[in-house]
Amino acid sequence: MSERAAPFYCPYCGDEGLLPSEEGHGAWECRSCSRAFRLKFLGLLAPGATGPAASDGGTP
């Protein structure tokens, strides 16, 4: 089994200096902007599934 992928950059400031957090699985810390966040895999989408923005009929 392979290792889980790590995030490449902070979703808040874009810095690449992330460290795993002691808060548990999927938790990361950004030393640049002093934020902590958690990543979670939700699952796979069914083939042909679209998100809410694509299924609103294209109305503004």
Side-chain angles (χ1 to χ4, degrees):
M1 187 163 284
S2 64
E3 271 188 52
R4 301 255 179 201
F8 293 114
Y9 56 87
C10 174
Y12 298 100
C13 71
D15 192 74
E16 296 178 0
L18 299 177
L19 298 172
S21 175
E22 295 179 3
E23 294 296 318
H25 182 73
W28 294 87
E29 297 175 356
C30 176
R31 299 294 179 175
S32 183
C33 67
S34 300
R35 289 186 169 107
F37 57 94
R38 184 178 308 270
L39 299 177
K40 181 179 179 181
F41 178 71
L42 299 177
L44 297 173
L45 297 176
T50 59
S55 64
D56 67 358
T59 57

